[in-house]
Amino acid sequence: MELYEQLAQMARAGEELSLWQEFYFKFFQAFLANDRWLQYLEGVGTTLLVTALALALGILLGCVVAMIRVGHDQQRKGRKNPLLGAVNAVCQVYTTVIRGTPMMVQMLIMSMVIFSSSRNYTMVGVLTLGINSGAYVAEIIRGGLMAVDAGQREAGRSLGLGYITTMLFIIVPQAIRAVLPALGNEFIILLKDTSLITTIGGKELLYAAKGVINRTYEAMFPLLGTALVYLTLVLFFSWLLGKLERRLAQSDRG
Amino acid sequence: MIEVKHLRKSFGENAVLRDIDLTVDKGDVVVLVGPSGCGKSTFLRCLNMLEEPDGGEVWFKDTQINAPKTDINLVRRKVGMVFQHFNLFPHMTVQKNITFAPVRLGLMKPEQADRRAMELLARIGLADKAGSYPNMLSGGQKQRIAIVRALAMEPEVLLFDEPTSALDPEMVGEVLELMKELARGGMTMLCVTHEMGFAREVANRIIFIDEGVIKVDKPPQAFFADPGNERLASFLSKVL
């Protein structure tokens, strides 16, 4: 602390700092001065919260959309349910529009058009990310559902189980296991994409870094620090997902 | 018990079943044979509506199962099916495979279903596999457990769709043995198979399907001794 004050004075007086003095000064300024690390920590908390909420929303939306689309495709010929047809069409429009437009644009539309009067930027961000992620999760899960051997459905149905029971207890668990790596990937993309909500005023990690930059006019350390935090989070969650995958694979063998 | 009238089924342009009539009585063991692609599996699958007939009627006792208003799930509880590829649920233990449907459908309490599953497993000598997952079992064990899974629903009819075709030769025997035991116990069975020995020994009727119709329907002795149909004679000369 004293060293920092000393260096700050030297800098203000226009004295030349040595390389390591400058390094120490900027590092201290970026993370430790005024307890700025607390801002980052708060940012990380928000980032994780946003990720968790958006993930939950994305998986919920994705499962529902995937089930509707597969359910629609599996209807028996000549017995199409018109309501399901309509809902299926809505789902198709949803995935097409979301996957066909940039996340950034969706984010801006959500915050500046649809929720232009809301000041809860973080929650608008959660909503956007969740809706965006849902479209991708839907396609991943749909692929998984279709990859489960048709014999599994036939076996379930031939025991007298209904379509929904067969789906929920026999097909979906197997599909989830099959798509877990892809879902994990989607989760990691989502984690990193939370940084985009900075642009609409969501107060997550990058927002904290930008706050520090605006105050200190120094960009390197806050940005590198932010990158490092993201990297650490991603590595941690990748490790966790790997463990989960291995555990699920184990139950296959008993 | 099962009555089929003028059943028709085609896949696109390909008319697989043209006009099938069949009555199966309680306790019948019917074996269906025919050249591959003749529609015998399709016919079997029409009996529990895994394939939907294009025309005709399929009756199970007093219910027309292909009528739009019939709750097919109720019929399927009483019509068990065993598949060529076993189709055990890989994410459930052997015991759970057997108990899941009866418990889920509210037909048995969990403890009751567990007890029943253990009884059935003991009967086929696989009680020690109750906690195993299907991937750890041999083909013959899987198929016998698939049969037990169907039995746990206490069905009145069992449909076998080439139950031994996916098995290594040395495993065929144990599955056929179990099927014979069921037949002796009075179970009504319809079985698509290429095991002529089984047909000869166990069936009380053998049916030859060709060109989408039932060409021959005879007791085994007559079936093999006096085919009475040129196509059947040529088919038998190839498989025997």
Side-chain angles (χ1 to χ4, degrees):
Chain A
M1 197 68 182
E2 280 162 38
L3 182 59
Y4 172 68
E5 293 297 342
Q6 212 180 324
L7 290 172
Q9 260 173 12
M10 283 166 70
R12 272 197 293 273
E15 275 182 60
E16 191 89 352
L17 296 180
S18 75
L19 193 66
W20 93 261
Q21 278 175 326
E22 192 175 314
F23 182 91
Y24 179 85
F25 175 70
K26 286 183 177 168
F27 181 85
F28 201 97
Q29 186 185 41
F31 299 117
L32 300 172
N34 301 333
D35 282 338
R36 283 188 178 128
W37 59 275
L38 276 174
Q39 295 177 35
Y40 293 99
L41 200 63
E42 226 169 287
V44 172
T46 310
T47 293
L48 291 176
L49 180 73
V50 168
T51 309
L53 291 178
L55 184 74
L57 180 61
I59 287 184
L60 185 74
L61 270 175
C63 282
V64 170
V65 169
M67 300 262 267
I68 288 170
R69 295 208 50 197
V70 171
H72 176 265
D73 293 349
Q74 282 180 351
Q75 285 180 105
R76 288 186 273 179
K77 254 182 286 162
R79 291 211 191 159
K80 301 262 188 224
N81 180 338
L83 180 69
L84 192 54
V87 181
N88 180 61
V90 172
C91 292
Q92 258 173 317
V93 169
Y94 162 68
T95 46
T96 308
V97 169
I98 295 294
R99 299 204 304 161
T101 55
M103 164 90 104
M104 196 67 229
V105 176
Q106 293 165 17
M107 190 81 77
L108 293 175
I109 289 175
M110 283 292 270
S111 75
M112 297 169 73
V113 182
I114 299 172
F115 293 104
S116 55
S117 58
S118 165
R119 297 190 46 80
N120 193 344
Y121 307 117
T122 309
M123 281 305 135
V124 172
V126 166
L127 212 56
T128 315
L129 286 166
I131 290 172
N132 180 280
S133 172
Y136 292 91
V137 170
E139 290 298 294
I140 291 172
I141 292 185
R142 197 167 71 94
L145 291 175
M146 292 195 308
V148 175
D149 180 29
Q152 291 291 314
R153 187 173 58 83
E154 291 179 355
R157 297 305 305 272
S158 77
L159 288 166
L161 299 169
Y163 175 80
I164 301 212
T165 310
T166 306
M167 259 319 204
L168 285 182
F169 292 91
I170 292 167
I171 309 298
V172 170
Q174 295 182 53
I176 296 276
R177 178 172 309 174
V179 300
L180 200 67
L183 277 183
N185 193 37
E186 177 59 28
F187 165 68
I188 281 167
I189 290 172
L190 181 64
L191 173 69
K192 293 184 295 178
D193 279 352
T194 56
S195 61
L196 287 175
I197 72 169
T198 288
T199 55
I200 61 166
K203 295 181 176 49
E204 42 66 75
L205 178 58
L206 186 59
Y207 188 88
K210 280 176 77 180
V212 174
I213 294 171
N214 285 339
R215 232 154 298 132
T216 60
Y217 304 108
E218 277 298 336
M220 187 173 85
F221 281 102
L223 288 180
L224 289 185
T226 303
L228 195 66
V229 171
Y230 275 116
L231 185 61
T232 312
L233 287 176
V234 167
L235 288 177
F236 172 71
F237 284 116
S238 303
W239 172 79
L240 213 62
L241 282 163
K243 265 187 93 121
L244 184 64
E245 265 170 49
R246 276 192 296 279
R247 263 190 68 163
L248 283 180
Q250 246 167 22
S251 81
D252 244 1
R253 280 173 258 121
Chain B
M1 180 163 264
I2 291 178
E3 203 170 352
V4 180
K5 297 174 191 162
H6 304 297
L7 179 68
R8 284 185 294 111
K9 173 74 187 174
S10 28
F11 295 109
E13 295 286 288
N14 182 17
V16 183
L17 304 174
R18 290 168 196 276
D19 185 9
I20 301 265
D21 284 280
L22 180 71
T23 305
V24 177
D25 296 317
K26 190 166 166 44
D28 268 355
V29 177
V30 181
V31 166
L32 300 130
V33 300
S36 70
C38 74
K40 49 197 193 304
S41 282
T42 305
F43 171 63
L44 201 67
R45 290 158 59 84
C46 282
L47 299 182
N48 67 352
M49 295 287 281
L50 285 182
E51 299 290 352
E52 197 164 358
D54 295 334
E57 296 173 8
V58 181
W59 289 78
F60 174 71
K61 300 211 282 192
D62 308 331
T63 323
Q64 188 191 346
I65 69 170
N66 62 334
K69 279 187 188 147
T70 306
D71 181 354
I72 188 63
N73 293 332
L74 290 178
V75 178
R76 282 173 177 156
R77 290 180 189 186
K78 291 291 153 207
V79 183
M81 186 154 199
V82 175
F83 299 87
Q84 180 177 1
H85 296 287
F86 331 132
N87 299 349
L88 291 176
F89 307 132
H91 59 302
M92 296 181 185
T93 62
V94 165
Q95 182 161 2
K96 189 82 191 290
N97 261 281
I98 299 168
T99 58
F100 180 75
V103 171
R104 185 77 210 164
L105 294 171
L107 304 176
M108 287 185 198
K109 294 206 176 62
E111 314 82 61
Q112 192 188 354
D114 284 344
R115 228 177 310 125
R116 174 96 178 114
M118 290 314 292
E119 273 169 31
L120 288 166
L121 284 173
R123 203 168 115 195
I124 59 170
L126 292 177
D128 57 323
K129 301 289 185 196
S132 307
Y133 285 87
N135 288 0
M136 302 162 67
L137 307 172
S138 73
Q141 291 172 333
K142 282 186 208 171
Q143 191 60 298
R144 285 186 293 148
I145 284 162
I147 294 173
V148 163
R149 177 175 70 178
L151 286 176
M153 292 294 293
E154 294 177 344
E156 295 176 39
V157 185
L158 273 182
L159 310 175
F160 292 87
D161 189 2
E162 304 203 20
T164 57
S165 300
L167 295 175
D168 291 338
E170 75 267 26
M171 314 239 168
V172 171
E174 58 189 79
V175 171
L176 291 182
E177 200 49 51
L178 175 58
M179 290 168 64
K180 280 179 206 169
E181 202 185 305
L182 292 175
R184 280 197 294 269
M187 176 64 78
T188 311
M189 295 164 51
L190 281 91
C191 180
V192 173
T193 186
H194 301 292
E195 296 291 333
M196 292 300 157
F198 174 81
R200 195 193 296 264
E201 193 181 335
V202 183
N204 66 339
R205 293 162 69 185
I206 306 182
I207 285 172
F208 178 67
I209 297 180
D210 187 41
E211 294 171 326
V213 295
I214 292 180
K215 287 277 174 68
V216 180
D217 177 356
K218 287 182 175 174
Q221 276 201 321
F223 185 88
F224 290 108
D226 167 29
N229 175 299
E230 219 171 282
R231 304 263 298 203
L232 173 57
S234 113
F235 174 74
L236 286 177
S237 72
K238 278 177 213 149
V239 296
L240 286 180

